[in-house]
Amino acid sequence: MLSTIPYTLPLLPRLNSTLLSAITPTSPSYPFYHTSNPRIFSFISDHWLALASPIIVYWVLSLAFHALDVAQIPYFESKRIHESPEVLSRNKATVMQVVNAVVLQQVIQTILGFFWMDAEPSQNEMWNDDLQEMAKLGGVVGQAVVLVLGDRTGQSLLMKHGKDIVSWTYWWGIPLAQFYAAFLIMDTWQYFLHRAFHTSRFLYRHFHSVHHRLYVPFAFGALYNHPVEGLVLDSLGAVVAETLSGMSTRQAALLFALSSAKTVDDHCGYRLWWDPCQFLFHNNVDYHDIHHQSYGIKKNFSQPFFTNWDNLLGTKMTREQAQNRFKKSAQTGSKSKSTPVLKVSKIE
């Protein structure tokens, strides 16, 4: 199992010993992702894998998008949000400034993770008795099924499929719930801090304005931040989400890799319908690009996964709304040449 969960829900109805025995798996049916090895890869510990995975994913994916930028393949050029020359003409940071800032942030996040996370997975975590854990879980699953479906229907279902239900809950239900919880926690952490970095003149001017020097985002500039912002917003947000969701080291490695891939994709500059990060999440490259424009700088604070907080608190801007704002901004700009098209340091 990816992690051990305490199973104690005293308010649920008790099950008789016969039913408990019937729903307790007698042999562990391992899923495809399971391994009994103390390390996923023999050449690196799980601890260092969790620290290295987001960095490896970041540079492999961002350099792949950079290769597309350079190659200028017609299909991908047609999917660009901005014309290629805009990157050079409108961005206020050089490539080396971006690379240096990203490397610095990744060094800081690695140091934080090294001390925050366990040096190695615990002996219990790596060698726990899966059948014993499922036996403890089985009581809670059985109680929940009986409570929801009633005694007769619930017990009938458990007698027929109880072992499969418990096994699925153990190997899939709990881990998926942990990842969903981690996504929500990370989104909540980043939304309110990100919004604060925009609504506070001091925070924006001294910290967050660095990231908005990239008016036209590109993939390897996803983590171009002030180091303080990078630590508080991104690095701490990830480890808090991992900790509060009760993840194991191996789950953390996957969470960090996924969040790193997502933030790179959100800044890649291409609308690709087949890209998993773009068709699975409404909070995608198009959504975040609006936030990087002068007319959307006070909208679309949510990142990196869902748009829940923007929806709830009225800070969401659709592409249609963005286009209308852009037209109004362009008309205003044409009437007053003294007003610059982009002024990212200005707080409205």
Side-chain angles (χ1 to χ4, degrees):
M1 176 59 181
L2 291 174
S3 61
T4 303
I5 305 295
Y7 311 112
T8 54
L9 293 177
L11 297 180
L12 293 180
R14 293 184 177 276
L15 304 180
N16 60 58
S17 58
T18 302
L19 186 57
L20 279 174
S21 178
I23 67 176
T24 301
T26 55
S27 61
S29 179
Y30 292 117
F32 74 89
Y33 66 76
H34 178 269
T35 175
S36 297
N37 297 328
R39 295 181 174 186
I40 297 177
F41 302 108
S42 60
F43 57 87
I44 186 173
S45 71
D46 290 350
H47 171 71
W48 279 106
L49 179 64
L51 300 179
S53 62
I55 298 175
I56 294 172
V57 168
Y58 185 93
W59 287 109
V60 169
L61 190 58
S62 63
L63 290 177
F65 278 117
H66 180 65
L68 293 179
D69 293 340
V70 174
Q72 297 187 351
I73 301 170
Y75 170 79
F76 289 99
E77 289 299 297
S78 69
K79 306 302 180 182
R80 277 185 183 271
I81 297 177
H82 300 278
E83 296 296 331
S84 183
E86 286 188 86
V87 176
L88 296 177
S89 65
R90 306 181 83 174
N91 285 342
K92 307 303 178 184
T94 66
V95 170
M96 284 310 302
Q97 286 175 326
V98 171
V99 171
N100 290 337
V102 171
V103 170
L104 176 60
Q105 177 167 333
Q106 291 176 333
V107 168
I108 293 172
Q109 79 181 26
T110 301
I111 294 172
L112 173 66
F114 181 83
F115 289 104
W116 185 290
M117 300 177 63
D118 294 334
E120 289 288 347
S122 66
Q123 193 73 5
N124 178 64
E125 180 181 312
M126 292 308 308
W127 302 106
N128 63 15
D129 188 331
D130 295 314
L131 290 178
Q132 184 178 1
E133 290 295 316
M134 280 191 277
K136 291 190 292 184
L137 175 63
V140 175
V141 172
Q143 290 172 318
V145 169
V146 170
L147 183 66
V148 173
L149 300 180
D151 286 341
R152 177 178 295 183
T153 304
Q155 292 188 29
S156 176
L157 178 65
L158 291 172
M159 290 299 293
K160 294 179 181 178
H161 304 290
K163 291 181 180 179
D164 292 334
I165 295 173
V166 172
S167 181
W168 184 90
T169 302
Y170 183 75
W171 293 113
W172 293 100
I174 292 174
L176 288 172
Q178 287 176 292
F179 272 97
Y180 187 68
F183 288 176
L184 292 179
I185 293 167
M186 191 180 296
D187 278 2
T188 300
W189 179 279
Q190 294 205 13
Y191 175 87
F192 288 101
L193 281 175
H194 187 195
R195 186 170 179 174
F197 274 114
H198 276 274
T199 54
S200 166
R201 288 180 177 271
F202 176 84
L203 292 177
Y204 187 89
R205 181 174 300 163
H206 294 282
F207 299 105
H208 193 55
S209 61
V210 172
H211 184 67
H212 279 275
R213 290 172 185 169
L214 299 184
Y215 182 87
V216 180
F218 50 86
F220 64 86
L223 292 182
Y224 175 60
N225 299 308
H226 188 285
V228 172
E229 179 187 346
L231 171 64
V232 173
L233 190 69
D234 296 318
S235 302
L236 277 178
V239 294
V240 167
E242 173 264 333
T243 302
L244 293 182
S245 58
M247 288 187 166
S248 68
T249 303
R250 291 180 177 181
Q251 285 175 298
L254 181 56
L255 173 67
F256 298 158
L258 288 174
S259 59
S260 184
K262 185 65 172 58
T263 193
V264 169
D265 199 274
D266 288 348
H267 292 80
C268 72
Y270 297 92
R271 294 191 188 98
L272 304 171
W273 68 265
W274 44 264
D275 184 332
C277 291
Q278 298 188 32
F279 75 76
L280 290 176
F281 298 95
H282 182 67
N283 191 343
N284 52 32
V285 60
D286 191 57
Y287 188 85
H288 190 66
D289 178 80
I290 293 171
H291 176 73
H292 272 265
Q293 310 312 309
S294 58
Y295 49 81
I297 201 169
K298 289 301 186 71
K299 299 291 184 178
N300 296 7
F301 297 118
S302 291
Q303 55 185 32
F305 296 105
F306 307 122
T307 62
N308 300 338
W309 288 112
D310 278 324
N311 288 327
L312 288 171
L313 300 181
T315 53
K316 179 179 178 179
M317 178 179 282
T318 66
R319 177 53 69 179
E320 181 180 2
Q321 292 171 328
Q323 290 173 339
N324 291 333
R325 286 286 296 272
F326 174 74
K327 291 177 181 178
K328 291 180 180 179
S329 297
Q331 291 172 355
T332 302
S334 64
K335 293 178 180 179
S336 177
K337 297 296 184 180
S338 62
T339 302
V341 175
L342 173 66
K343 191 174 184 180
V344 297
S345 61
K346 180 181 179 180
I347 304 295
E348 297 175 359

